[in-house]
Amino acid sequence: MFGWLKKKDRKHASAVDLYTAMVTQARQPEFYSKLGVADTKEGRFDLILVHAFILFRRLKAEDGDKDLAQEVFDVMFADLDQNMREMGIGDVGILKRIRKMSDSYHGRIVAYEEGMQSGAAELAAALDRNLYADTDVRDEQLMAVVGYVHDALTLLEQQTLSEIQNGKVRFPDVPVPAVTTP
């Protein structure tokens, strides 16, 4: 009689696990120390959005699970809301910030998708504008992140939908940028 409730609980638990995996991957110190992502609230938020793009692209594919993508999105923004409350931001301030974050999310997803459709140079430009907005990034760092996004998308395509629906997702290791000589 309450099978739908158990199914909803499992989907929510999987969404929490997937969101946790995204955040855990985005917190890998090498993104900041080796790839030059700003270790700030904005830099961490943008890196989570890069991972959200990767995961949501897989979930929204023809063989994906759009309902699970929506659940992960809801979990992500509920967590952002909770974090702002813990920082002492009031309801009105949270509403404004969540709206701005949501707009940022949608803009970045569109830019990254257009970058994937147009090629590495376009994706690099989108990452430079967003992930590295206030940072001087070296070309080799930027191209390492472009390669990482491609590798992550390929890895997720190889994972079964059943694994992902059970909250299991694997991301590639954080790359080490190639060293260029001046």
Side-chain angles (χ1 to χ4, degrees):
M1 180 174 191
F2 292 103
W4 63 271
L5 188 57
K6 285 183 180 180
K7 187 175 180 180
K8 182 176 170 103
D9 287 345
R10 277 194 310 269
K11 187 171 289 255
H12 182 76
S14 293
V16 169
D17 290 345
L18 293 171
Y19 174 67
T20 301
M22 283 183 349
V23 171
T24 299
Q25 184 67 10
R27 287 183 176 163
Q28 296 301 310
E30 296 83 5
F31 281 114
Y32 307 96
S33 64
K34 298 199 183 318
L35 295 178
V37 175
D39 193 5
T40 62
K41 286 185 287 190
E42 293 80 10
R44 292 187 297 271
F45 174 70
D46 272 307
L47 196 52
I48 290 170
L49 293 186
V50 168
H51 287 89
F53 164 72
I54 292 165
L55 179 62
F56 293 158
R57 193 166 198 256
R58 171 64 175 97
L59 288 173
K60 291 184 177 186
E62 191 172 308
D63 66 338
D65 186 334
K66 292 178 179 151
D67 291 338
L68 182 56
Q70 182 62 52
E71 189 74 25
V72 174
F73 178 86
D74 294 346
V75 166
M76 180 171 64
F77 276 90
D79 183 57
L80 294 170
D81 179 283
Q82 180 62 34
N83 286 327
M84 285 186 277
R85 289 180 191 285
E86 288 173 3
M87 290 187 289
I89 299 170
D91 287 342
V92 174
I94 288 175
L95 183 59
K96 288 178 184 178
R97 285 187 170 104
I98 289 289
R99 188 172 296 129
K100 184 177 179 181
M101 287 178 179
S102 181
D103 290 345
S104 295
Y105 161 79
H106 290 292
R108 283 158 176 75
I109 296 298
V110 168
Y112 298 152
E113 185 59 43
E114 287 173 357
M116 288 302 299
Q117 300 297 323
S118 300
E122 190 67 32
L123 179 57
L127 289 165
D128 191 30
R129 278 190 316 272
N130 296 298
L131 182 61
Y132 292 105
D134 299 323
T135 307
D136 290 328
V137 62
R138 296 187 328 260
D139 287 342
E140 61 269 14
Q141 291 171 314
L142 183 58
M143 294 316 293
V145 174
V146 169
Y148 172 82
V149 170
H150 282 281
D151 292 348
L153 288 168
T154 299
L155 185 59
L156 262 70
E157 287 171 8
Q158 296 169 355
Q159 293 174 46
T160 67
L161 182 60
S162 176
E163 285 177 300
I164 296 170
Q165 287 172 323
N166 285 311
K168 307 283 188 247
V169 64
R170 294 179 311 279
F171 291 99
D173 292 336
V174 179
V176 176
V179 178
T180 60
T181 55

